[in-house]
């Protein structure tokens, strides 16, 4: 799949960042339903990005070493638990070699028993039936404001504080090592909405919490945030 013609604003962004070629992006899905038309309409509108969707379990085959180098960035929009030892090892090697990683919304719930994934993402939505005190929670159809935290990061070029109508997560574990991008004061939400990390010398990762439904997929600031996160994660 290939992105449609870029808007004037995002064309300026690509020129400003001196990006001369399309990025190859793998979008991993599976394990959680979502509004496919709205999500992929958004993906099609991101300029300079050629993406391929791959659903699990086939998607995890990309973690294996024989597929390394086929994509510039992996965008995780999945929510699964199953993964083989070989796939884990391959993913860890991929991170060491250098790969752009962008995690969206419910991807923070994946791999509850794999701490390497948690550390690379920078947080975890905790599913724990035994102790409600540490159980994360969610609420649909909430209005809240995303506030800029770090204007020095290139991901936030041209992005202002903006209102969101989407699903929130609460009581989520967030690593102290993350570099916040967006925050919110909504009392039911995790306080940091988006962040970056550089888990290895060559790998950059981004997590963005909003991303449940059509209202946020169509928001121009969210689309800009996602596009610029993908480019930043690529390191190009």
């Amino acid at each position: 799949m290939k992105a449609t013609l870029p808007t004037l604003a995002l064309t300026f962004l690509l020129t400003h960042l001196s990006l001369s070629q399309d990025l190859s992006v793998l979008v991993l899905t599976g394990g959680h339903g979502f509004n496919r038309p709205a999500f992929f309409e958004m993906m099609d509108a991101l300029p300079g990005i050629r993406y391929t969707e791959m659903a699990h379990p086939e998607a995890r085959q990309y973690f294996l070493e024989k597929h390394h180098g086929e994509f510039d960035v992996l965008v995780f929009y999945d929510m699964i638990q199953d993964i083989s030892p070989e796939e884990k090892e391959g993913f860890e090697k991929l991170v060491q070699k250098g790969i752009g990683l962008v995690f969206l919304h419910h991807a923070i719930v994946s791999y509850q028993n794999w701490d390497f994934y948690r550390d690379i993402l920078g947080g975890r939505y905790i599913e724990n039936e035994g102790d409600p005190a540490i159980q994360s929670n969610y609420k649909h159809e909430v209005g809240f404001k995303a506030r800029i935290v770090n204007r020095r990061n290139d991901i936030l070029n041209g992005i202002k504080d903006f209102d969101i109508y989407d699903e929130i997560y609460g009581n989520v574990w967030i690593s102290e090592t993350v570099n916040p991008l967006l925050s919110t004061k909504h009392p039911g939400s995790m306080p940091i909405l988006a962040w970056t990390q550089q888990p290895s010398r060559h790998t950059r990762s981004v997590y963005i919490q909003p991303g449940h439904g059509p209202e946020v997929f169509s928001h121009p600031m969210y689309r800009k945030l996602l596009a610029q996160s993908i480019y930043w994660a690529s390191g190009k």
Side-chain angles (χ1 to χ4, degrees):
M1 303 178 189
K2 190 172 182 178
T4 56
L5 291 176
T7 64
L8 180 61
L10 285 178
T11 301
F12 174 79
L13 165 66
L14 298 187
T15 303
H16 178 69
L17 292 179
S18 301
L19 296 168
S20 59
Q21 61 183 5
D22 288 355
L23 295 178
S24 180
V25 174
L26 177 66
V27 179
L28 296 88
T29 62
H32 192 288
F34 62 99
N35 188 314
R36 292 183 60 86
F39 180 81
F40 287 111
E41 179 184 355
M42 173 185 66
M43 291 300 303
D44 288 340
L46 303 183
I49 291 172
R50 293 179 292 105
Y51 72 88
T52 300
E53 180 199 8
M54 190 179 296
H56 293 291
E58 290 81 6
R60 293 192 302 278
Q61 292 298 303
Y62 176 74
F63 297 163
L64 300 179
E65 197 161 5
K66 64 182 179 180
H67 293 295
H68 291 186
E70 294 181 11
F71 295 95
D72 299 308
V73 179
L74 306 184
V75 174
F76 292 78
Y77 195 54
D78 52 0
M79 193 178 85
I80 62 167
Q81 304 303 326
D82 294 334
I83 186 168
S84 71
E86 293 77 16
E87 291 161 348
K88 283 185 176 181
E89 181 181 1
F91 181 78
E92 293 179 13
K93 288 182 178 179
L94 192 60
V95 170
Q96 293 304 316
K97 290 178 179 179
I99 184 70
L101 303 172
V102 177
F103 303 91
L104 298 179
H105 195 52
H106 47 250
I108 198 171
V109 190
S110 293
Y111 306 121
Q112 292 282 306
N113 297 314
W114 186 18
D115 288 349
F116 183 84
Y117 177 85
R118 175 202 63 189
D119 295 342
I120 296 303
L121 187 150
R124 174 177 286 164
Y125 181 105
I126 301 170
E127 293 189 320
N128 185 304
E129 297 179 0
D131 187 352
I134 64 171
Q135 170 71 50
S136 301
N137 54 74
Y138 65 90
K139 186 175 182 180
H140 292 297
E141 300 176 345
V142 177
F144 55 105
K145 183 178 286 292
R147 302 176 184 274
I148 304 301
V149 175
N150 181 8
R151 296 187 181 277
R152 293 175 294 178
N153 192 299
D154 289 340
I155 292 175
L156 297 174
N157 286 343
I159 296 178
K160 303 176 181 179
D161 293 355
F162 60 102
D163 294 324
I164 299 177
Y165 184 74
D166 202 51
E167 181 181 32
I168 58 172
Y169 294 158
N171 202 31
V172 173
W173 180 85
I174 301 173
S175 171
E176 295 179 354
T177 66
V178 304
N179 301 302
L181 295 173
L182 300 176
S183 67
T184 185
K185 293 183 178 180
H186 191 286
S189 172
M190 52 199 282
I192 306 175
L193 294 176
W195 60 72
T196 67
Q197 290 200 118
Q198 192 154 354
S200 77
R201 180 179 174 184
H202 303 293
T203 291
R204 294 174 168 185
S205 74
V206 184
Y207 175 69
I208 302 172
Q209 187 277 322
H212 179 76
E215 293 84 2
V216 74
F217 296 151
S218 63
H219 199 299
M221 286 294 151
Y222 184 82
R223 291 186 175 193
K224 183 184 283 288
L225 174 69
L226 177 55
Q228 294 176 181
S229 294
I230 292 172
Y231 282 112
W232 182 87
S234 76
K236 295 187 177 181

